Amino acid sequence: MHTRRTHRRTRTGSTRFRAALLAAALLATACSAGGASTSAGSPAAEAVGSTQAATATLTPLPKTTPSELSPYYEQKLGWRDCGVPGFQCATMKAPLDYAKPAEGDVRLAVARKKATGPGKRLGSLLVNPGGPGGSAIGYLQQYAGIGYPAKVRAQYDMVAVDPRGVARSEPVECLDGREMDAYTQTDVTPDDTGEANKLVDAYKEFAEGCGADAPKLLRHVSTVEAARDMDVLRAVLGDEKLNYVGASYGTFLGATYAGLFPDRAGRLVLDGAMDPSLPARRLNLEQTEGFETAFQSFAKDCVRQPDCPLGDKGTTPGQVGKNLKSFFDDLDAKPLSAGDADGRKLTESLATTGVIAAMYDEGAWQQLREALTSATKEKDGAGLLVLSDSYYEREADGGYSNLMFANAAVNCLDLPAAFSSPDEVRDALPEFEKASPVFGEGLAWSSLNCAYWPVRPTGEPHRIEAAGATPIVVVGTTRDPATPYRWAEALSGQLSSGHLLTYEGDGHTAYGRGSTCIDSAINTYLLRGTAPEDGKRCS
């Protein structure tokens, strides 16, 4: 069972592949792009056509903070040790509903690592790894706060806030571990009406669980509201402008901030950019194409290796895809043993998710080849199950992080659903299967999940111009699976001060993934405020 996620993964250690919340996202039902169009927080209008990009533009909020929000902007954070050496934590209050702040608060978890010096302190640098649903605090403590360049960490306080509904910030919960196991194994390539009905039932059960857990909060986890929370945090930290590095979905969050508060946008890096002007169906279709592009790159590399289980030297990428699809079909008929303590077997759905997870970082390709070899030659599905579990953030004890719950909660609020019925999915299958013969069918059916959401969407597709903002760096990777390169081109073109920085390569996002050219350009921007030349390319 896939979900539309755009969530950054980073390389660490010998495997160069880390599936823990440091980034990732599959857009088959998630990489949201909603918020507000003609006015911040406005109700969604009629659903935008499935193929037409939006022409409405996100309107900035008034420069003067409303008096009823002053208590939030003037609050003092009580910093405390949070159990990770060098990091401090605090809790910040924000209004549950910015239109009715008197009706209650939401409590948001914040963490920081203070600038280490030497050099002039440049303020705070807020980071977000994407998702939606990725823990920014987890990302800060596990990677950004220790792995960002020393010069950046020397001059910035590294800061993160888990967005509302995510991780430590009043997390949305939908299913328990056993229920989530069943959900992730649901067949997303139904062969008949009965299997399609089972898939719909799974989506309904998931949605009902989310609605029962947080009926009020579920109406207020939009990207617009999360961006407004970041402005409260900016003020509380004492910064005149927000400096920010957002990856994947985090680019949509950062761009939304710039659109709402262009005069308060400081040095913004949007890495692995999303296009906020696209409706959900178009987003899902284009991400499907992105995963096909990444898979073709993997296939070309695979047949050059001595251990490729999907073909030998000379096998075309197209045939590699057919071989993989045949393997998936076999699993659909007969799942493989995976040596799982909880009795799970490797189903078609879990295997597909495992392959997709490895597309985020070419450093995982060897791991994927080994997992596919074990599954196809030795009938052992353990390796692919490990990859799938990493994608879903399933813990060793059988529990799950709230990544997938928050992911759906944000996406289904930000945009009208891609499809409203199984019949609409069936009609769209040829288009999705053309986009990706390997993944298209499953990603199309996975796009149905928001049709049964218990809360109506409040966002709609829109352009973000952020007129008056200082230069904003938008980063795109040419063979990015989760956020196709064309999205970076689109966002940088919408932003009045956008500077497009291109990485010609594989994997999801570019900063901190091995390109000296990319890292140097971004570090110079963060430390000196000098944006790279618009259109600069790195390899």
Side-chain angles (χ1 to χ4, degrees):
M1 169 95 41
H2 322 295
T3 56
R4 186 179 75 229
R5 240 173 86 202
T6 56
H7 178 79
R8 176 178 175 182
R9 294 184 186 273
T10 60
R11 298 176 184 175
T12 57
S14 60
T15 64
R16 294 168 47 194
F17 173 67
R18 201 171 167 183
L21 268 188
L22 307 185
L26 179 57
L27 217 131
T29 59
C31 199
S32 144
S37 57
T38 55
S39 62
S42 65
E46 294 297 318
V48 177
S50 63
T51 60
Q52 297 299 312
T55 56
T57 301
L58 183 64
T59 301
L61 289 168
K63 294 183 179 181
T64 303
T65 301
S67 58
E68 59 267 28
L69 296 181
S70 294
Y72 297 101
Y73 275 79
E74 296 170 1
Q75 65 185 294
K76 304 296 182 182
L77 297 184
W79 293 102
R80 62 188 183 280
D81 178 78
C82 49
V84 180
F87 292 88
Q88 297 176 308
C89 291
T91 300
M92 184 185 84
K93 292 191 297 184
L96 178 66
D97 183 348
Y98 275 91
K100 302 175 181 178
E103 293 193 0
D105 303 332
V106 60
R107 294 181 178 272
L108 307 177
V110 182
R112 74 178 178 187
K113 186 176 184 182
K114 301 196 74 172
T116 58
K120 179 183 177 182
R121 183 180 176 278
L122 297 175
S124 304
L125 181 63
L126 193 64
V127 296
N128 184 283
S135 171
I137 292 177
Y139 177 69
L140 176 70
Q141 294 178 341
Q142 297 172 42
Y143 175 68
I146 55 177
Y148 268 36
K151 290 183 179 179
V152 173
R153 291 183 284 115
Q155 294 184 250
Y156 283 102
D157 289 346
M158 302 293 294
V159 179
V161 55
D162 279 349
R164 48 179 65 200
V166 174
R168 298 163 177 82
S169 295
E170 300 192 16
V172 174
E173 301 289 344
C174 305
L175 303 176
D176 63 26
R178 287 185 176 275
E179 292 168 337
M180 192 62 182
D181 279 346
Y183 181 75
T184 61
Q185 295 174 72
T186 304
D187 188 354
V188 290
T189 57
D191 300 317
D192 51 40
T193 301
E195 290 187 354
N197 289 339
K198 289 182 180 179
L199 179 59
V200 169
D201 289 343
Y203 287 144
K204 288 180 178 178
E205 180 183 356
F206 185 97
E208 290 169 359
C210 296
D213 175 73
K216 292 184 179 180
L217 180 62
L218 219 58
R219 291 174 170 79
H220 297 288
V221 292
S222 71
T223 298
V224 163
E225 288 162 313
R228 297 191 69 171
D229 294 340
M230 293 200 305
D231 193 56
V232 174
L233 179 58
R234 172 204 58 79
V236 169
L237 293 172
D239 293 329
E240 291 186 7
K241 293 194 173 187
L242 180 82
N243 300 310
Y244 175 84
V245 177
S248 202
Y249 161 80
T251 67
F252 175 47
L253 181 58
T256 299
Y257 180 89
L260 295 175
F261 307 101
D263 59 313
R264 301 174 192 171
R267 300 172 188 179
L268 269 59
V269 177
L270 309 180
D271 183 13
M274 290 184 59
D275 180 358
S277 73
L278 300 180
R281 177 172 165 178
R282 175 84 171 271
L283 279 168
N284 291 339
L285 180 63
E286 292 192 4
Q287 195 190 47
T288 299
E289 294 173 345
F291 276 100
E292 181 64 22
T293 297
F295 178 75
Q296 291 291 310
S297 189
F298 163 76
K300 290 176 183 177
D301 178 77
C302 187
V303 297
R304 291 195 293 262
Q305 308 301 326
D307 60 345
C308 181
L310 299 173
D312 300 318
K313 185 176 181 180
T315 305
T316 65
Q319 186 59 50
V320 170
K322 290 179 181 178
N323 294 342
L324 181 60
K325 190 66 168 66
S326 178
F327 168 64
F328 288 157
D329 291 342
D330 290 342
L331 288 176
D332 191 25
K334 186 178 180 180
L336 286 180
S337 173
D340 181 64
D342 295 315
R344 293 178 302 154
K345 292 188 174 183
L346 181 70
T347 62
E348 178 191 18
S349 180
L350 291 173
T352 304
T353 301
V355 173
I356 282 173
M359 294 299 101
Y360 284 90
D361 189 336
E362 67 273 26
W365 289 358
Q366 179 180 345
Q367 182 181 350
L368 176 59
R369 292 197 306 271
E370 293 171 354
L372 285 169
T373 297
S374 294
T376 58
K377 310 296 185 184
E378 302 166 16
K379 306 304 178 184
D380 179 2
L384 284 172
L385 188 61
V386 167
L387 284 167
S388 178
D389 284 351
S390 75
Y391 182 84
Y392 286 120
E393 296 196 349
R394 186 184 191 271
E395 306 296 340
D397 63 2
Y400 288 77
S401 78
N402 98 307
L403 170 63
M404 289 301 173
F405 310 141
N407 182 274
V410 175
N411 288 320
C412 296
L413 195 62
D414 271 351
L415 281 181
F419 299 111
S420 63
S421 70
D423 285 342
E424 287 190 4
V425 177
R426 293 186 184 98
D427 289 342
L429 282 177
E431 190 177 23
F432 275 76
E433 290 177 321
K434 181 180 179 181
S436 176
V438 179
F439 305 117
E441 182 183 8
L443 297 186
W445 281 102
S446 295
S447 305
L448 183 61
N449 74 327
C450 287
Y452 309 101
W453 203 244
V455 176
R456 290 178 61 83
T458 57
E460 58 188 14
H462 55 270
R463 293 170 53 82
I464 299 178
E465 296 179 356
T470 56
I472 297 172
V473 177
V474 179
V475 188
T477 298
T478 55
R479 294 186 293 278
D480 192 313
T483 52
Y485 178 68
R486 70 177 70 174
W487 292 355
E489 293 179 305
L491 180 60
S492 64
Q494 292 170 36
L495 292 168
S496 62
S497 59
H499 285 237
L500 178 62
L501 175 62
T502 298
Y503 174 58
E504 297 177 349
D506 297 292
H508 184 40
T509 72
Y511 185 44
R513 298 189 68 250
S515 170
T516 301
C517 175
I518 290 288
D519 291 354
S520 177
I522 292 175
N523 293 339
T524 297
Y525 171 68
L526 291 175
L527 294 172
R528 301 177 189 171
T530 304
E533 180 182 357
D534 185 24
K536 179 179 176 64
R537 301 183 75 90
C538 297
S539 59

